[in-house]
Amino acid sequence: EDKVVQSPLSLVVHEGDTVTLNCSYEVTNFRSLLWYKQEKKAPTFLFMLTSSGIEKKSGRLSSILDKKELSSILNITATQTGDSAIYLCAAYNFGNEKLTFGTGTRLTIIP
Amino acid sequence: NAGVTQTPKFQVLKTGQSMTLQCAQDMNHEYMSWYRQDPGMGLRLIHYSVGAGITDQGEVPNGYNVSRSTTEDFPLRLLSAAPSQTSVYFCASSYRTSGWGGELFFGEGSRLTVL
């Protein structure tokens, strides 16, 4: 059975700090690793990574995949209160076409 | 273009009652899925469909039925609700082109409480 593990489960930092969220996966027929941000309602898509070692960047957020270590990190620099959310990692199995999510990291930014 | 629409947004049921959570999308997406979200458990896949007439089980299918008679609709049925089915339910859909990497578009969620 496919498995995705995220750490830490929760994180509290001050505004302006840099954070690193971790995700590891055990997925047969792995194709891609996805990051989502969830505030009050539906998860919203952040990144999809398919190639190892290539960083994807969007403003203060960046992410990279390490296929050798079966893991990914999501970095957020100069954090703002609007970054407070649950960050979800998911891995896609192209064999059975299932997307498996981790339990999420709850990030809280203190002003 | 409404995206993924879920109804109802909130529902309270008594143990043993049945109900259907509706999900509709107007983006001509082949792939549709249902997840439930519980505190500390992340999103867990209940059922999914890769096209009209085709459905398959996810990680936690017991107690739930689905059907996919049209591309647009993917209803989730609870035949006999149990308190363990108290959760927030998300419907999600996507295109399923060659090389698709699993990116999903989510509905706003339906909060179900079973007493």
Side-chain angles (χ1 to χ4, degrees), chain A residues 31-32 36 38 96-97 99, chain B residues 31 35 37 48 96 101 104:
Chain A
R31 173 169 288 163
S32 56
Y36 284 82
Q38 185 178 24
N96 58 22
E97 300 195 78
L99 186 66
Chain B
Y31 188 98
Y35 287 85
Q37 187 173 34
Y48 67 107
R96 188 171 151 263
L104 293 174

Side-chain angles (χ1 to χ4, degrees), chain A residues 1 31-34 36 38 41-45 48 50 86 88 92 94 96-104, chain B residues 31 35 37 40-43 45 48 50 57-59 90 96 98-109:
Chain A
E1 190 174 310
R31 173 169 288 163
S32 56
L33 190 291
L34 298 94
Y36 284 82
Q38 185 178 24
K41 291 186 179 177
T44 54
F45 173 77
M48 182 169 70
T50 56
I86 297 173
L88 295 161
Y92 178 65
F94 71 83
N96 58 22
E97 300 195 78
K98 290 183 185 178
L99 186 66
T100 300
F101 282 83
T103 53
Chain B
Y31 188 98
Y35 287 85
Q37 187 173 34
M41 302 288 287
L43 288 164
L45 182 64
Y48 67 107
V50 298
Q57 295 182 348
E59 187 185 351
F90 286 100
R96 188 171 151 263
S98 171
W100 175 56
E103 180 188 345
L104 293 174
F105 299 86
F106 282 85
E108 294 285 285

Side-chain angles (χ1 to χ4, degrees), chain A:
Chain A
E1 190 174 310
D2 296 340
K3 190 175 176 185
V4 176
V5 177
Q6 292 186 245
S7 63
L9 292 181
S10 67
L11 189 57
V12 180
V13 301
H14 287 95
E15 203 167 19
D17 288 350
T18 293
V19 298
T20 298
L21 310 183
N22 301 288
C23 176
S24 63
Y25 62 90
E26 293 175 26
V27 173
T28 55
N29 301 308
F30 173 81
R31 173 169 288 163
S32 56
L33 190 291
L34 298 94
W35 286 96
Y36 284 82
K37 177 182 181 182
Q38 185 178 24
E39 297 176 84
K40 287 187 170 40
K41 291 186 179 177
T44 54
F45 173 77
L46 293 174
F47 298 111
M48 182 169 70
L49 305 125
T50 56
S51 300
S52 198
I54 298 176
E55 186 182 52
K56 290 230 173 168
K57 204 170 165 67
S58 176
R60 296 176 294 102
L61 278 67
S62 64
S63 183
I64 196 160
L65 176 66
D66 185 338
K67 281 186 170 180
K68 189 176 174 185
E69 296 296 325
L70 306 183
S71 65
S72 174
I73 59 170
L74 176 68
N75 281 321
I76 309 175
T77 60
T79 52
Q80 301 170 357
T81 54
D83 295 325
S84 293
I86 297 173
Y87 289 85
L88 295 161
C89 169
Y92 178 65
N93 179 329
F94 71 83
N96 58 22
E97 300 195 78
K98 290 183 185 178
L99 186 66
T100 300
F101 282 83
T103 53
T105 294
R106 181 179 292 275
L107 176 64
T108 304
I109 310 298
I110 301 171

